[in-house]
Amino acid sequence: MKIKKILLTPLFILILNSCLGINTDIQMRRDGSGRITMEYKLSRMAETIGRLDGNEQWPVIPVGRADWERTAARIDGIRLVSFSGREDNKDFINRATLEFADTDALLKLLDSAGKRASINRENNSNKLNIILNEKVSPDINPDLLELMKQVSAGYMFRITFSAQGNSSITFTDGAGKAITQPAGVNTSTSGRTLSFTIDTAELLNKKEGLGVSFTW
């Protein structure tokens, strides 16, 4: 696991490069602008594993304010609102809040490669599609994958989405094909806010991958 590479693609793809808990809140306005807040945890055990992989020269907290400032400067329509970092006996915990001017800026933030995040517009509605992880490659080292699952157990991956008007949530596999709500995924609705939660280890365990779509 290359800890130093954690923010090459800023949000969800980092799940496959480290052992994390992520809590993401997306607030969408009617004009397509909005705010996204991410709180993410990196376990001290995962950081130690990263150091064993030859990363001793890199900071123990891989994503800091300077990283987010560079990300905001690189993407038109993104502004860093706030950043904070702390640590406890178990985790390094960072929290970043950013404003996005439109959905194009949001997509570039979620996936700079443009392969795992998209928005479809049809029948007077919008759908935000996010591939959280793709189908497990047969080339991946099974021992490494098992280690990632073990270290990630107990950490949660959560996304909250809110928009004006009625919204709905659906799921796909790693290729974007619609599926029923998979085992281990919990969803909730509160007013205009939708959310889903899955244990990070369970997310890594989805051999066919997993994606989520929010329609509003």
Side-chain angles (χ1 to χ4, degrees):
M1 284 181 289
K2 296 293 185 181
I3 299 296
K4 65 183 180 181
K5 295 182 179 179
I6 195 170
L7 198 64
L8 289 183
T9 46
L11 184 54
F12 302 113
I13 299 175
L14 54 79
I15 263 290
L16 299 180
N17 294 319
S18 53
C19 305
L20 297 167
I22 297 181
N23 190 347
T24 301
D25 178 51
I26 302 173
Q27 301 174 25
M28 186 74 69
R29 303 187 186 101
R30 192 180 300 276
D31 64 358
S33 66
R35 173 173 290 204
I36 180 169
T37 299
M38 289 166 278
E39 181 175 279
Y40 44 100
K41 298 180 179 181
L42 174 66
S43 74
R44 288 179 177 273
M45 184 181 299
E47 191 271 334
T48 299
I49 293 171
R51 288 193 179 280
L52 293 176
D53 196 33
N55 294 307
E56 296 85 350
Q57 73 275 29
W58 297 98
V60 292
I61 300 178
V63 181
R65 175 182 290 274
D67 299 290
W68 286 111
E69 289 174 343
R70 284 192 291 268
T71 295
R74 178 177 56 83
I75 302 174
D76 290 339
I78 292 292
R79 181 176 70 88
L80 179 65
V81 176
S82 64
F83 175 86
S84 63
R86 60 188 175 88
E87 59 183 274
D88 57 26
N89 292 333
K90 182 182 179 183
D91 303 304
F92 301 105
I93 306 164
N94 289 344
R95 181 182 176 90
T97 298
L98 303 101
E99 293 272 359
F100 53 91
D102 50 41
T103 54
D104 287 341
L106 174 62
L107 292 179
K108 290 177 182 177
L109 178 67
L110 296 180
D111 177 18
S112 58
K115 297 179 179 179
R116 293 195 179 188
S118 63
I119 289 182
N120 299 333
R121 299 177 176 88
E122 57 184 23
N123 299 325
N124 296 318
S125 64
N126 304 282
K127 179 182 285 189
L128 171 61
N129 310 294
I130 305 168
I131 300 298
L132 304 177
N133 65 322
E134 297 176 332
K135 184 176 180 178
V136 175
S137 169
D139 297 328
I140 192 170
N141 185 319
D143 294 331
L144 176 58
L145 181 59
E146 184 59 32
L147 178 60
M148 292 169 65
K149 293 177 184 178
Q150 292 177 12
V151 177
S152 298
Y155 288 86
M156 305 306 295
F157 187 100
R158 184 171 187 263
I159 301 179
T160 299
F161 178 88
S162 59
Q164 296 177 335
N166 296 324
S167 303
S168 62
I169 182 172
T170 54
F171 295 93
T172 70
D173 62 16
K177 180 181 178 181
I179 59 173
T180 58
Q181 181 173 322
V185 172
N186 296 311
T187 60
S188 64
T189 303
S190 177
R192 294 176 176 174
T193 300
L194 305 169
S195 68
F196 89 94
T197 308
I198 184 172
D199 187 285
T200 301
E202 182 63 27
L203 175 59
L204 293 172
N205 200 42
K206 299 298 182 186
K207 295 182 178 180
E208 297 301 318
L210 182 65
V212 62
S213 296
F214 297 99
T215 300
W216 76 98

